[in-house]
Amino acid sequence: RLEKAYVRDAISAKEYETTCLNMIAKFKTLMGTMQDQVPSVMDFIKMYHMECPAAVNRLLVSGIPATIEHGNSGRSSTAGGGGSEVFVAETVQLFITTMDALKINMTAVDNLYPLLTDLVQSMNKLVFLEPEFEGKVKIKEWLARLNNMRASDELSEDESRQLLFNLESSYGAVVQKLKERH
């Protein structure tokens, strides 16, 4: 219902995002506490013949609201075509913060997930980065991957190195896009 309300403009993007993040957090909490009773959410959905592809995608696949995953199409285009200095600075700050977190071995899902979510949100504000921009795609893939892990899980050394590599290459690609604009 929430996805339909958002798509039909029955609720604002901000209202959708707040409600969706709240529901995702509650789902993750319940999923952790009910693991013994419901070992597989997909099996539960099949057993009770539930038709909820949007909920499955939002809760089990992406783990983030559509406004974060695809960007908020209702955002205003600010000076410089959405590349305002504030949004660029915010994005750079989040890249550096996330990379620094990995460098000091902060590899738990509950540490990285909010950083990556904020980074994707920030990158979505930069309208000169198209939706299929490789850096966004890679970070969204990491978000989906982390969404399928428990909050207390930690990335292995190999996973951590790969995420750091993906972040560094995405950061470099954003910088290159900025240079091309000027």
Side-chain angles (χ1 to χ4, degrees):
R1 287 185 187 169
L2 182 62
E3 298 282 325
K4 285 182 182 178
Y6 171 62
V7 170
R8 293 178 180 157
D9 288 328
I11 60 173
S12 69
K14 183 177 177 67
E15 200 176 0
Y16 162 79
E17 190 172 309
T18 302
T19 304
C20 193
L21 285 169
N22 187 356
M23 292 175 86
I24 290 168
K26 287 178 181 179
F27 174 78
K28 285 182 171 274
T29 300
L30 282 174
M31 202 166 90
T33 60
M34 298 186 68
Q35 194 71 31
D36 295 338
Q37 295 92 342
V38 184
S40 168
V41 175
M42 287 308 294
D43 289 346
F44 180 88
I45 289 170
K46 288 177 187 170
M47 183 186 335
Y48 290 98
H49 308 288
M50 300 169 80
E51 293 292 325
C52 49
V56 168
N57 178 55
R58 197 64 50 224
L59 297 171
L60 301 175
V61 179
S62 76
I64 54 176
T67 51
I68 296 172
E69 184 176 10
H70 306 294
N72 181 358
S73 59
R75 70 180 179 252
S76 62
S77 184
T78 58
S84 79
E85 293 82 2
V86 173
F87 295 151
V88 171
E90 177 184 278
T91 302
V92 168
Q93 174 191 358
L94 288 164
F95 265 114
I96 292 169
T97 301
T98 307
M99 290 186 290
D100 285 349
L102 287 166
K103 289 175 184 174
I104 61 170
N105 294 319
M106 288 180 59
T107 58
V109 171
D110 60 350
N111 289 327
L112 295 172
Y113 193 86
L115 293 172
L116 291 174
T117 301
D118 290 347
L119 180 56
V120 169
Q121 282 179 304
S122 184
M123 290 175 75
N124 284 335
K125 294 175 187 174
L126 301 175
V127 296
F128 63 86
L129 297 180
E130 58 277 356
E132 65 280 350
F133 177 69
E134 187 178 355
K136 279 188 198 180
V137 172
K138 285 185 184 217
I139 294 168
K140 287 177 191 176
E141 287 170 359
W142 275 102
L143 276 172
R145 187 176 188 173
L146 294 177
N147 185 53
N148 290 318
M149 299 170 73
R150 294 185 333 225
S152 61
D153 287 345
E154 302 229 0
L155 296 182
S156 69
E157 186 177 335
D158 286 347
E159 290 171 321
S160 180
R161 285 181 67 181
Q162 186 62 50
L163 175 54
L164 184 58
F165 175 79
N166 290 149
L167 286 165
E168 287 172 344
S169 62
S170 298
Y171 176 71
V174 169
V175 170
Q176 186 59 40
K177 283 275 195 187
L178 282 166
K179 288 179 181 177
E180 291 170 5
R181 290 174 43 85
H182 296 290

